[in-house]
Amino acid sequence: MRLFIGLDVPYEMRRNLELVLQLLKPTAKINWSPMTNLHITTKFIGEWPQERLGELRDALAGVPWPGPIGIAIRGIGWFPNPHHPRVLYAGIAAPPELAELARATGDACASLGVAGEEREFRPHLTLARIKGPADLADLRSAIAGLPSAEFGAYTASGFHLYESRPGAGGSIYTKLASYGLPA
């Protein structure tokens, strides 16, 4: 099983991004993410044995939920940098509680033997992946010409354990467990 931990993005925010991507997609031949897959990853686990799924669920149940977290989606950027991009993303603005949640989910996974993160937590929504050389000049111009890069704000009320499976149109994500949600 290929697993990760993350937060949902409500339909309204996905729809705002989808409207912008309708303008951007024709400008570059890159691997665009399906809007239904948008999420904020707090911990990528990778391959995990099915027989240890209960153990992982139990560890995540012990992660303290800091309460509702206000999240704003704003800005468009490039990882690792604009000169040699591999990912086009929408930025996330959130209080320190989101980074604390990422640290806590990482610690819970580390207690089960999952490798820790080497990079600093940078919350984002992956809009597209860039594999190999691509002509991005028109895409860069289209982004620069957007009237706004504010895509909305919402309050996250919990986090989820997801399974990722390959599918014909990209990965298919399935929630396996949810945490921190109100009763």
Side-chain angles (χ1 to χ4, degrees):
M1 310 179 75
R2 187 172 173 85
L3 305 178
F4 66 91
I5 302 162
L7 283 70
D8 280 343
V9 175
Y11 170 78
E12 295 81 12
M13 302 325 104
R14 291 193 322 263
R15 182 69 181 140
N16 292 343
L17 286 162
E18 186 174 40
L19 291 172
V20 169
L21 291 185
Q22 286 176 2
L23 298 172
L24 301 181
K25 283 182 179 182
T27 66
K29 293 183 181 184
I30 55 179
N31 297 325
W32 296 94
S33 299
M35 288 294 99
T36 56
N37 282 3
L38 290 183
H39 64 278
I40 302 168
T41 301
T42 62
K43 174 64 181 159
F44 177 74
I45 298 168
E47 292 301 322
W48 185 259
Q50 172 114 24
E51 61 271 10
R52 292 188 64 200
L53 186 57
E55 185 181 354
L56 179 59
R57 283 182 173 151
D58 291 346
L60 292 174
V63 169
W65 174 247
I69 300 174
I71 294 174
I73 304 170
R74 63 171 65 115
I76 295 178
W78 310 90
F79 283 138
N81 62 61
H83 307 292
H84 303 287
R86 289 182 296 177
V87 171
L88 176 68
Y89 70 86
I92 298 295
E97 287 82 4
L98 181 58
E100 291 168 16
L101 178 63
R103 190 171 27 263
T105 56
D107 290 348
C109 292
S111 73
L112 300 177
V114 176
E117 296 295 329
E118 295 179 13
R119 295 177 280 193
E120 176 186 350
F121 177 64
R122 293 187 56 194
H124 65 279
L125 302 175
T126 299
L127 301 177
R129 296 191 185 280
I130 303 148
K131 299 181 180 183
D135 180 2
L136 302 175
D138 289 343
L139 176 58
R140 291 177 196 279
S141 293
I143 291 169
L146 291 174
S148 173
E150 298 283 331
F151 304 108
Y154 70 101
T155 301
S157 60
F159 65 98
H160 311 279
L161 173 63
Y162 293 89
E163 179 180 16
S164 173
R165 291 185 175 174
S171 296
I172 298 167
Y173 298 156
T174 304
K175 283 183 193 172
L176 301 178
S178 297
Y179 305 92
L181 301 168

